[in-house]
Structure formats: structure tokens, C-alpha cells
Amino acid sequence: MFFIIAVASYSLPVLTGFLKYGRLTSYHTRGAVLAAYCIGAATVIVFAEGSTIFFRVATFILALAELEEIAITLTLPKWQANIPSLKHALEIKKGQTI
């Protein structure tokens, strides 16, 4: 179940980006960086020990990070790369500079 959630968490932001912009998003959010480290470490732990609790926690972090990426896509009026957080996307939408 958690593996399916992880795959969906990676897939839905890509699909959202393609539907809105016709291309991949490239936000590199802080949450996505944290999620990548967590998923990577949890995967190693699962294969080394067989414990899945870390993978479950990492999947939750991943899902939150990818929800933020979907929110950024829905917020930004046009494609833009390297958006570190939803807060920055909201500032861009308001016309403020980062």
C-alpha cells in the first residue's frame, strides 16, 4: 500500500504539470529534497533490515511534498523552475519578487 502511495505521489505532480504546462515541472522544493533523502534512506533500511516503519514515515513526507508541488502548479500562472516552496509561488502570483 505504501509503495502505491509513493508511486502515486511521484506521478500526480508530473501529470498535473503536463496537463497545465505541457511539460515537466522543475521546482526543486525543500520538501521534495527532504522527501528524496528520506525515501532513499528508508529504502536502504528496508532492504538491509526488512523494517518498514521508516519507509512508511518517508512515504508520508513524500506525499506532503508532492501535494505542495501540485499546489505550486495550480498556483503559478505560467511555468517556472526552481520554486523552493508554495510561499514563493504565492508571492510570484501576487507579483512580488522573491
Side-chain angles (χ1 to χ4, degrees), residues 2-3 5-6 9 39 54-64:
F2 285 92
F3 179 76
I5 293 170
S9 293
I39 286 288
F54 298 109
F55 187 77
R56 292 176 183 192
V57 171
T59 301
F60 178 74
I61 293 168
L62 173 66
L64 289 178

